[in-house]
Every structure is written in C-alpha cells, then in structure tokens.
Amino acid sequence: MKVISLTFAFGLLTSLAQGLPSPAGGSPSGSVVAGRQATKFPSASGTRFTIDGQTRYFAGSNSYWIGFLTNTKDVDTVFDHLVTSGLKILRIWGFNDVTRKPGTGTVYFQLLSSSGSTINTGSDGLQRLDYVVSAAEKRGIKLIINFVNNWGDYGGMPAYVSAFGGSKEGWYTNSKAQAQYKKYIEAVVKRYVNSPAVFAWELANEPRCKGCNTDVIYKWATEISAYIRSLDPAHMITLGDEGFGLSGGTSYPYQTSEGVDFVKNLGIKDLDFGTFHLYPKSWGVDNSFGSGWVKDHAAACKKAGKPCLFEEYGTESDHCNIQKPWQQASLALAADGMGADLFWQWGDRLSSGQSPNDGNTIYYGSSDATCLISDHVRAMGST
C-alpha cells in the first residue's frame, strides 16, 4: 500500500524514548543474541505455513508505523492487542530512508548519500526496530520485515535514486544503489538472524518497474533472495509484490505492464512463498473482482507447491461487507494454495492519539474489527 499521509507518523516521533534495549554485537538484548533458538522458525510446509509447530491457516495485519514509535508502551499496547485478537503475523517496514539527516528525535534507519551512506544504529534508529522485534518475541507474534519501498514514503527507491542517480525503473540494475541496498539488508538480517520472531524477510514493498521486461524484476529478485539466503539460511524469504501478471483475466492487475510476472517470480528458488495485494479502487476494478483474484493466485501457488500470502487488502469504506467475502474466499482455499491473510492496516489508540488512518484502517475494538478480525479468527478454527 502506498501510504497517503505521513503527518501523523512524524507526530509520533516527538514522544520520548523509553526503555530502549541495548544492542549487543549489533543485535537487541535478550534471546536475539543468545544463539540460534530451539524454537523452530516459521516455515512453509507445502502450501501451508508452520508456526510454533502448528501447520494451518493464519491471520494477521500490517503496521508500517510501529517501528517508528518512540514510546515503547505504545509498541507493547499494539502487540498485546494483537495477541488478544488472535492474530499471529504482523508485516512491518524494516526501512526508513532519508537523504538529509533529520532533526533530533526523528527516527530514521539509513542516510543515503553518494559520498558515503550511513546506517543509524542509535536510539533514534535501528534500536526502535530492536524493541519491536523484542516485543514480538515475548508475545509469539511473527514479523515480516521489509527492506525497501517502491514508493517514496519513508525514502524507498526514490530516495536511492536521489542519492545515486538514474531512474526509478533503473533502480533494479543501478550498481551503486544495489550495493547500498545489500549493505542495509546485511545490517538488518545480521541483527535479527537468530530471532524466532522473524516470519520472513521481504525484498520490497510492491516492487514495480513500469514498462520494463519482466526479466528485470525476476533477475533482481533471484539475485537478492540468494544473497539473503547466504546471510540467513533458516528464515523464509518473499518478494512483497502485488501479484500482478497472472492468467485468469484481462484487466490491468492481470497484465505485466508493471514489469511483474507473478507465476514467473513464484518459481524463484529462494523465494519461499508468493504474495499478492488487493485494492480495487486504486486498480480501477470493481470490488467483486476480489474473490476471483484470490482464487487465481491460490491456483498458481498450488501448482508451484508454495503457499500464497494474501498480504494486503483494503477498502476505504464499508469494510466488513466488501472485505469479508475476500477473507472467506481465501479461507475456503486453505488446503488449496492459501496459507494466510493480512488486512491493511492495523489501527489502535496510542499515547499520542489514534494511529494513522488512510481509510483502510481497522481499529482494535471497533465493529469492523469484530467482523474482520474476531469473526474471521473464529471461522479459521483449526483450518
């Protein structure tokens, strides 16, 4: 999802940091640095996921902003509410790129510059992510950690282009940009390589290469996933794409105009599962498009022998009536390609007020949450 507004997020950064864990050897304190854990890491089992010894269908959500919170009590609140809700997976932004060092108290993870980039491991940098990983570990929540954004929110590929030149479409083959991207990946992966909280590493949020041959993203994803595998052979890896380029329809999302071929990318050896998103309004299709979109991806994943993760989906109104059929379609295919779904996005009340609302937000304790979280988790049962 392209984040529409950053106003609230920057407001969150004015809070005072509380109780930051102290990194040891480049990792947060506690179990992350204690060596590889006895707890089995999440894995793919055919077209299903296995978490903590359970192989079944799982549900979760997205929170791009949680790693940028400076009040640790707010982080704890979110994770406690996730546990209470019965959700197991949370997808987060593991990136926050800038091209100019911000003022004191503003969180950023990486300063990009052609004269020498720096990775911020301080209390306003990756230590914020440390606390998120630690909080997830304590509560058994599993994290999908993303390394870069296709969009300009929180830096992303446009920030790399600003620092290293070239074009957005050329980012995938820009040697200077890719070298720094790999350095950042290495810093984050090594920081949490032993953490049982990591569900998967994710190459990018919604990678696109408009008008490009699909080989561009395919070759890039092949190289980067193999690189991550060399750093961490145990955790899963995924692409983070929207699922474009698929047989079964002729509308825009089924085409490869964004340089994405879902089935082709699904075949990459070091990618453990497929991802797809769903935003009918943004894509110019009807809301009824959703269930068929889910079924066509499930069929592709079943054929490939890998799980599909329905990674993002949302509407700006009538959340329950529109999105519930999508959830039901995914759950119905739990034995035929679908492994889990994560709605966009989680909403909560924090010390500074409500978390960001882009219209798609499902707030904890709301009637929408009853429909799309409580009822959904109940319907899952032991599926």
Side-chain angles (χ1 to χ4, degrees):
M1 180 68 179
K2 181 178 180 180
V3 180
I4 303 302
S5 174
L6 307 183
T7 303
F8 182 87
F10 282 113
L12 293 174
L13 305 180
T14 61
S15 302
L16 294 176
Q18 300 178 18
L20 283 171
S22 300
S27 300
S29 61
S31 59
V32 177
V33 297
R36 198 163 293 279
Q37 303 300 300
T39 304
K40 186 177 181 181
F41 296 151
S43 62
S45 304
T47 59
R48 293 196 177 202
F49 294 116
T50 298
I51 298 178
D52 297 335
Q54 290 190 320
T55 302
R56 59 186 206 55
Y57 189 93
F58 295 94
S61 187
N62 290 263
S63 174
Y64 71 86
W65 42 265
I66 195 167
F68 314 146
L69 298 176
T70 55
N71 187 328
T72 59
K73 290 182 180 179
D74 287 336
V75 176
D76 290 335
T77 293
V78 171
F79 278 106
D80 286 341
H81 288 167
L82 287 166
V83 172
T84 301
S85 298
L87 300 182
K88 196 66 177 176
I89 306 169
L90 186 68
R91 178 170 173 257
I92 66 172
W93 280 188
F95 59 84
N96 191 340
D97 313 308
V98 298
T99 55
R100 185 176 300 175
K101 189 173 180 179
T104 302
T106 298
V107 173
Y108 72 98
F109 296 162
Q110 181 177 212
L111 173 62
L112 297 169
S113 172
S114 59
S115 61
S117 301
T118 57
I119 296 170
N120 183 7
T121 59
S123 60
D124 59 353
L126 287 177
Q127 287 182 37
R128 300 313 320 154
L129 197 58
D130 291 346
Y131 193 84
V132 172
V133 173
S134 176
E137 283 184 356
K138 291 175 182 177
R139 296 164 177 83
I141 299 295
K142 308 304 178 183
L143 303 172
I144 296 175
I145 300 179
N146 197 300
F147 295 123
V148 71
N149 203 357
N150 169 71
W151 311 103
D153 304 302
Y154 301 97
M157 296 178 195
Y160 281 84
V161 170
S162 176
F164 302 110
S167 65
K168 167 65 173 53
E169 287 69 31
W171 180 87
Y172 299 95
T173 54
N174 183 320
S175 59
K176 292 181 179 179
Q178 290 302 306
Q180 184 58 37
Y181 171 60
K182 285 183 176 180
K183 286 180 183 178
Y184 185 71
I185 288 174
E186 180 181 19
V188 175
V189 170
K190 286 187 174 180
R191 206 168 178 90
Y192 311 120
V193 66
N194 295 314
S195 177
V198 176
F199 182 82
W201 306 114
E202 188 164 272
L203 274 60
N205 173 52
E206 301 185 336
R208 296 183 181 187
C209 189
K210 193 172 185 64
C212 300
N213 187 293
T214 58
D215 280 348
V216 174
I217 286 182
Y218 176 82
K219 289 177 179 179
W220 165 78
T222 299
E223 177 186 349
I224 299 301
S225 58
Y227 175 67
I228 297 171
R229 186 71 73 202
S230 74
L231 299 172
D232 180 0
H235 286 106
M236 291 188 290
I237 304 167
T238 194
L239 180 53
D241 62 306
E242 295 155 281
F244 294 156
L246 186 71
S247 61
T250 59
S251 58
Y252 159 70
Y254 282 92
Q255 298 171 16
T256 59
S257 59
E258 300 290 353
V260 179
D261 184 327
F262 178 78
V263 174
K264 183 176 180 178
N265 296 333
L266 191 60
I268 295 173
K269 177 175 66 71
D270 290 310
L271 295 182
D272 295 284
F273 58 92
T275 62
F276 66 96
H277 300 179
L278 176 57
Y279 296 102
K281 181 179 179 181
S282 297
W283 298 350
V285 295
D286 190 80
N287 291 324
S288 60
F289 168 90
S291 295
W293 183 243
V294 172
K295 292 175 183 176
D296 290 336
H297 283 86
C301 282
K302 183 178 181 179
K303 186 174 181 180
K306 296 181 178 181
C308 256
L309 173 64
F310 190 8
E311 187 177 63
E312 286 190 30
Y313 56 91
T315 56
E316 294 179 3
S317 62
D318 203 13
H319 301 126
C320 181
N321 289 328
I322 295 172
Q323 294 171 221
K324 192 175 187 68
W326 302 346
Q327 289 184 333
Q328 292 171 332
S330 184
L331 185 57
L333 295 166
D336 293 297
M338 294 306 305
D341 70 84
L342 317 179
F343 67 86
W344 182 281
Q345 64 170 321
W346 179 267
D348 222 318
R349 178 163 290 281
L350 309 176
S351 60
S352 53
Q354 282 193 327
S355 62
N357 185 5
D358 60 359
N360 299 274
T361 306
I362 306 299
Y363 282 98
Y364 176 75
S366 66
S367 59
D368 281 336
T370 298
C371 173
L372 296 175
I373 303 177
S374 303
D375 292 350
H376 185 40
V377 169
R378 190 178 303 112
M380 283 165 42
S382 58
T383 301

